[in-house]
């Protein structure tokens, strides 16, 4: 918990001879760990806790500067809430399951999985340290699934250690005792238990249905993981033949586009799927094809009879306006197939090749020969073969025409997705109409309602959530045909004929979790009954990585394992994350919390923008345009890099900019130098005076009045999750303090010649100390290392566990903020005079006449001695009232400069 921070005085500071930012990361990182500075207080009540659902970064290589960007945003909020007196629950997770880890292991160790191979104890991989470019898939050594999973676990441990070291160097105020792995025992138990509860309530179900499939990774893909990309192809104009000549003549007479008396032409980019055609489809309002609805046509080459049907999803202005429906070429085919109750004629295997077995719907001799030619081929080779036959038969009209079409890809894949039919597991998410028992409304409407309850920062990100939910067309497919992930805790009975009965599901009890059905045995069976008639078979699929990550609040907060921790931290306060995974991580987490707890998982969602490269393109590993952060942290210092990150508002993209880091480094160094100067005013043995009642001079009271306003504005901004506005407010004030106020009062604070009274000098010294004492706290969430360094010079404990500044600290200060503004304006114009005259700043003014707005004239009169000392005036300036200016206006209308004193050498 935070400690009090506003004593009236503290012991004399111990100031270093020289100051610098180098080495502060290691110095204070070690101290924070030693003193458990950021440890979560388990005795705090839920009202005293601020809990953060920290994004678990994917452990599959290295972090990049985009991670530094978004995680700094979160850390600023965490540090601010801690200084508000909250016990901050700020854990770290590692997302170490799923495809990214598998791909890295394949590349790193030069291996791939062959589930048929036996486990090899003490296996030594053939390669260590590769990045995949020199290890082709055909050169990767096949190993057992268990050996492969062990290599995954081995590499993720190494990666996690490197990630943690970088996070510590960046200064994340994470409690490192609170951490988890998405493949760890705790996460597996939570994911498996949540799934079993979904299953028991009817929220999880399995279905044999067409779905998106990645032929490279050999796994099903969920709607949320799709990425639409442009993909080159060709339109092929193919002629289908009307089966009934009389119907053809009637349709032609009615205006249907019939060629050669019986031909109906369509355009397709997927001629290789011609053998899977089940219908021709046109829009019901298209007058060209209305005469054909209800008729049948035979497909070119394969000679299969199919109906001509109407569907409102057909596009009248695309291609020929009529399309072939195949099972399945794209998601529209699935919609037509379902809505029109068409037969299933799938010809594509999971490996992306054409089935070798001759389909029973192809019966004509030509069609049989054509199918034998494409059987077992890839879609590319099958396309070439079918097009060749179409050309030879004359059923392809004209030459193929180049086109670019939008095609679905798996976000981690390189080849277009195919659609294959397979048995998969789903969780209801509103994609299909379904009402929870006793809920009263459709699940989709409930989830839209949850989105309305959630506070989005910035609020305009809310529409992305709403658009995603309203646009869903299928439930959440959570099964994956991969190896490294959380296994489904299921077995199936095998009947007396040796067939697996997927309707007879066997499940463990929650107290047995986590389990691996491929090695564990269901209750009531023995190991020798695995895979035999009358026995059982394991579910070998694993859960999608989002099916585990969607439970990150439950995993982090100790659901099912630590009831006390769960009660103190859940529902959580903040989910920080990127804008691109609103549809995946944010939405899926809302779904799981709604189904399990009937609540939101957190109150606030802070959405970071993207980091853009100099060409304004999003940085990503896949594009190869990322920058790794450690070199930047070492070059500029962690505080400087954090400053760059915090200068970008939530929800807005930011360009990678080292110039901004240089500004951050300059600010960090200035904090050190200005603080040393301000704290040294009282001398080595004099306590630091922080009593605002000792601030008596107009200029000093003005800086504190301005400081009071800065505290208010910064606090309000951070409460609204606008960390950037808070930083801008504090930084602007600090530079005014350094550039203007320090220059104006330093002679009075020094008071070497006794020109000012003791009270006047003390007023300046106290104001300087109060400003530094406040500013280091205001900047602590952003620049944790230099502010901790300054704090250690004159205060006990850590600045990061002291209380955030409050306006009440400056009660009784009735200063006029306009005094500082007028003084700064006058100082600027007087400096400009010397600059334009090309003389030294040490050059004295022998005489000066200053014209100033009428309302500001008494303000300058009140600080004339400080202004004269700062600008080296040898005589009192003459002030004249400037008419016609309601705003602050200062002009040096007459002056005489003397000679700059010689500098002393040595």
């Amino acid at each position: 918990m935070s400690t009090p921070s506003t004593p009236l005085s503290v012991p004399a500071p111990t100031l270093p001879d020289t100051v610098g930012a180098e080495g502060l990361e290691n110095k204070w990182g070690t101290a924070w760990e030693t003193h458990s500075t950021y440890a979560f207080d388990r005795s705090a009540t839920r009202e005293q806790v601020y809990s953060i659902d920290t994004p678990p970064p994917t452990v599959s290589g290295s972090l990049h500067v985009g991670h530094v960007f978004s995680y700094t945003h979160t850390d600023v909020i965490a540090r601010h809430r801690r200084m508000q007196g909250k016990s901050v629950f700020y854990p770290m997770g590692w997302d170490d399951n799923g495809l990214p880890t598998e791909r890295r292991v394949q590349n790193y160790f030069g291996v791939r999985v062959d589930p048929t191979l036996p486990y090899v104890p003490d296996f030594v991989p053939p390669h260590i340290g590769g990045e995949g470019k020199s290890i082709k898939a055909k050169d990767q050594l096949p190993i057992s699934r268990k050996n492969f999973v062990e290599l995954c676990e081995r590499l993720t441990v190494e990666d996690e250690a490197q990630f943690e070291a970088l996070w510590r160097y960046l200064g994340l105020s994470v409690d490192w005792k609170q951490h988890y792995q998405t493949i760890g025992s705790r996460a597996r138990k939570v994911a498996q238990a949540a799934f079993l509860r979904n299953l028991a309530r009817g929220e999880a179900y399995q279905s044999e249905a067409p779905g998106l499939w990645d032929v490279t990774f050999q796994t099903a893909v969920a709607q949320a993981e799709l990425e639409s990309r442009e993909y080159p192809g060709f339109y092929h104009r193919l002629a289908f033949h009307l089966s009934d000549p009389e119907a053809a003549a009637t349709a032609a007479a009615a205006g249907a586009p019939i060629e050669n008396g019986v031909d109906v032409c369509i355009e397709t980019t997927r001629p290789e799927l011609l053998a899977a055609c089940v219908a021709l489809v046109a829009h019901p309002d298209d007058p060209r094809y209305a005469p054909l609805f209800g008729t049948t046509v035979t497909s070119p080459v394969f000679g299969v009879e199919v109906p001509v049907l109407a569907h409102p999803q057909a596009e009248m202005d695309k291609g020929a306006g009529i399309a072939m429906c195949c099972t399945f070429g794209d998601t529209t085919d699935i919609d037509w197939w379902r809505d029109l109750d068409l037969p299933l004629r799938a010809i594509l295997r999971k490996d992306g090749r054409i089935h070798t077995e001759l389909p029973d719907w192809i019966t004509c001799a030509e069609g049989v020969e054509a199918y034998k030619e494409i059987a077992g081929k890839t879609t590319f080779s099958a396309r070439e073969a079918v097009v060749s036959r179409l050309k030879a038969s004359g059923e392809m009209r004209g030459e193929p025409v180049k086109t670019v079409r939008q095609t679905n890809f798996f976000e981690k894949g390189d080849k277009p997705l195919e659609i294959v039919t397979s048995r998969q597991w789903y969780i209801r998410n509103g994609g299909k109409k379904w009402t929870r028992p006793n809920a009263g409304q459709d699940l989709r409407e409930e989830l839209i309602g949850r989105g309305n309850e959630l506070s989005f920062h910035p609020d305009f990100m809310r529409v992305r959530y709403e658009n995603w939910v309203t646009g869903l067309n299928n439930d959440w497919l959570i099964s994956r045909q991969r190896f490294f992930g959380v296994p489904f805790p299921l077995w199936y009975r095998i009947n007396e004929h040796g067939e697996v009965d997927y309707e007879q599901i066997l499940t463990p009890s929650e107290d047995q979790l986590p389990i691996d059905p491929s090695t564990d045995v269901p209750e009531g069976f023995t190991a020798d009954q695995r895979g035999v008639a009358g026995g059982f078979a394991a579910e070998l699929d694993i859960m999608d990585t989002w099916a585990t990550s969607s439970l990150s609040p439950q995993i982090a907060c100790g659901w099912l394992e630590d009831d006390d921790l769960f009660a103190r931290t859940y529902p959580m306060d903040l989910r920080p994350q990127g804008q691109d995974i609103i549809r995946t991580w944010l939405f899926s987490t809302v779904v799981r919390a709604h189904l399990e707890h009937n609540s939101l998982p957190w109150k606030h969602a802070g959405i970071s923008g993207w980091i853009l490269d100099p060409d304004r393109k999003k940085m990503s590993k896949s594009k190869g345009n990322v920058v790794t952060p450690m070199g930047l942290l070492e070059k500029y210092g962690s505080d400087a890099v954090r400053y760059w990150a915090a200068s970008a508002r939530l929800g807005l993209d930011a360009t990678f900019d080292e110039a901004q880091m240089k500004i951050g480094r300059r600010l960090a160094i200035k904090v050190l130098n200005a603080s040393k100067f301000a704290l040294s005013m009282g001398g080595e043995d004099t306590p630091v005076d922080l009593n605002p009642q000792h601030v008596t001079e107009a200029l000093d009271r003005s800086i504190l009045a301005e400081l009071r306003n800065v505290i208010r504005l910064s606090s309000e901004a951070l409460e609204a999750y606008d960390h950037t506005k808070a930083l801008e407010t504090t930084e602007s004030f600090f530079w005014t303090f350094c550039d203007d106020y320090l220059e104006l009062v330093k002679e009075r604070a020094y008071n070497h010649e006794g020109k000012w009274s003791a009270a006047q000098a003390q007023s300046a010294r106290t104001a300087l100390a109060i400003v530094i004492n406040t500013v280091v706290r205001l900047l602590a969430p952003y620049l944790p290392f230099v502010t901790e360094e300054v704090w250690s010079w004159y205060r006990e404990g850590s600045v990061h566990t002291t209380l955030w500044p409050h306006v009440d600290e400056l009660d009784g200060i009735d200063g006029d903020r306009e005094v500082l503004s007028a003084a700064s304006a006058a100082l600027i114009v007087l400096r400009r005079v010397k600059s334009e005259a090309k003389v030294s700043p040490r050059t004295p003014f022998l005489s000066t006449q200053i014209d100033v707005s009428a309302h500001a004239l008494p303000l300058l009169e009140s600080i004339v001695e400080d202004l004269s000392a700062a600008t080296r005036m040898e005589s009192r300036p003459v002030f004249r009232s400037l008419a016609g200016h309601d705003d602050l206006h200062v002009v040096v209308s007459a002056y005489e400069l003397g000679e700059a004193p010689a500098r002393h050498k040595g």
Side-chain angles (χ1 to χ4, degrees), residues 624 756 827:
W756 285 273
L827 186 62

Side-chain angles (χ1 to χ4, degrees), residues 270-346:
R270 303 294 306 267
E272 70 275 16
L273 296 181
L274 185 57
C277 181
V278 290
L280 295 190
V281 181
H283 196 279
D285 298 333
D286 193 332
R288 295 172 296 175
Y289 298 108
L292 294 176
F293 296 146
T295 64
T296 60
V297 294
T298 55
S299 59
V301 174
F302 296 99
V304 177
E305 190 168 359
V306 299
V308 182
L309 302 172
H311 194 283
Q313 218 170 325
E315 299 176 82
M316 289 188 278
D317 58 351
K318 183 177 180 181
I322 189 168
M324 69 172 183
C325 174
C326 300
T327 51
F328 296 94
D330 57 24
T331 54
T332 302
D333 284 341
I334 298 177
D335 294 337
W336 290 345
W337 170 75
R338 285 178 177 149
D339 296 347
L340 300 174
D341 196 23
L342 297 169
L344 180 62
R345 294 175 179 168

Side-chain angles (χ1 to χ4, degrees), residues 444-479:
R444 185 194 299 251
E445 296 305 315
E446 289 187 306
L447 294 172
I448 291 173
R450 288 297 183 201
N452 292 331
E453 295 174 29
L454 181 61
S455 295
F456 282 85
H457 306 283
D459 189 67
F460 66 75
M461 285 292 174
R462 181 186 311 279
V463 71
R464 300 197 182 192
Y465 175 93
E466 293 170 349
N467 288 344
W468 175 252
V469 180
T470 56
L472 285 169
N473 55 34
N474 201 6
D475 284 332
W476 178 14
L477 188 155
I478 65 165
S479 49

Side-chain angles (χ1 to χ4, degrees), residues 76-97:
V76 168
I77 298 299
R79 289 179 176 279
H80 172 245
R81 293 300 192 272
R82 191 179 289 111
M83 293 177 71
Q84 285 186 308
K86 293 287 188 179
S87 178
V88 176
F89 182 66
Y90 187 15
M92 180 60 71
W94 307 116
D95 190 0
D96 44 14
N97 71 352

Side-chain angles (χ1 to χ4, degrees), residues 102-355:
E102 289 193 25
R103 291 176 71 180
R104 177 158 159 73
V105 167
Q106 288 173 339
N107 296 334
Y108 194 88
F109 293 115
V111 296
R112 59 182 171 84
V113 175
D114 182 344
T116 66
L117 294 177
Y119 173 69
V120 177
D122 303 318
F123 172 72
V124 177
H127 191 79
I128 295 178
E131 289 302 327
K133 291 181 174 61
S134 60
I135 308 174
K136 297 180 180 178
K138 64 183 180 63
D139 298 325
Q140 293 172 350
L141 178 68
I143 61 174
S144 73
R145 175 176 179 166
K146 185 176 181 180
N147 284 123
F148 185 78
V149 169
E150 286 180 352
L151 291 178
C152 290
E153 292 170 341
R154 167 181 161 182
L155 191 56
T156 54
V157 168
E158 296 175 12
D159 286 342
E160 287 162 13
Q162 294 179 30
F163 280 32
E164 181 177 334
L166 189 142
W167 283 149
R168 287 178 179 271
Y169 197 88
L170 179 65
L172 294 193
S173 58
V174 166
D175 180 357
W176 290 102
K177 295 182 179 64
Q178 309 289 340
H179 65 90
Y180 65 88
Q181 299 166 304
T182 58
I183 199 65
S185 175
R186 176 159 43 123
R188 292 201 309 273
K189 178 177 180 178
V190 167
Q192 290 183 340
F195 171 79
L196 290 176
R197 294 186 181 196
N198 292 140
L199 181 63
R201 294 191 295 260
E203 299 153 1
Y205 65 92
Q206 59 180 328
S207 176
E208 182 85 20
L212 294 158
W213 185 270
D214 189 286
V215 297
T216 302
F217 296 114
Q218 290 289 285
T219 186
V221 176
Q223 185 180 352
E225 297 169 306
L226 301 185
E227 192 173 278
S228 181
R229 304 178 201 164
E230 289 187 343
Y231 192 71
F234 291 87
Y235 270 121
H236 305 78
R237 195 163 189 267
L238 311 184
F240 283 70
H241 317 298
L242 280 155
S243 307
D244 183 349
E246 285 189 23
T250 302
I258 307 298
E259 299 180 11
N260 298 334
V262 293
D263 292 343
V264 178
C265 290
I266 62 101
E267 294 180 11
T268 180
T269 59
R270 303 294 306 267
E272 70 275 16
L273 296 181
L274 185 57
C277 181
V278 290
L280 295 190
V281 181
H283 196 279
D285 298 333
D286 193 332
R288 295 172 296 175
Y289 298 108
L292 294 176
F293 296 146
T295 64
T296 60
V297 294
T298 55
S299 59
V301 174
F302 296 99
V304 177
E305 190 168 359
V306 299
V308 182
L309 302 172
H311 194 283
Q313 218 170 325
E315 299 176 82
M316 289 188 278
D317 58 351
K318 183 177 180 181
I322 189 168
M324 69 172 183
C325 174
C326 300
T327 51
F328 296 94
D330 57 24
T331 54
T332 302
D333 284 341
I334 298 177
D335 294 337
W336 290 345
W337 170 75
R338 285 178 177 149
D339 296 347
L340 300 174
D341 196 23
L342 297 169
L344 180 62
R345 294 175 179 168
I347 65 168
L348 200 60
R349 299 190 318 213
K350 291 180 179 180
D351 61 359
R353 293 177 179 270
I354 306 298
H355 277 294

Side-chain angles (χ1 to χ4, degrees), residues 46 55 188 238 277 328 443 479 554 631 780 787 796 807:
R46 182 65 191 89
R188 292 201 309 273
L238 311 184
C277 181
F328 296 94
L443 178 59
S479 49
Q554 289 86 346
T787 53
E796 296 292 327
V807 292

Side-chain angles (χ1 to χ4, degrees), residues 45 51 62 64 171 182 218 265 308 428 497 541 544 632 850:
T45 64
S51 57
S62 61
H64 62 77
T182 58
Q218 290 289 285
C265 290
V308 182
R428 301 187 189 278
H497 304 297
D541 285 357
D544 163 28
L632 295 169
I850 301 175

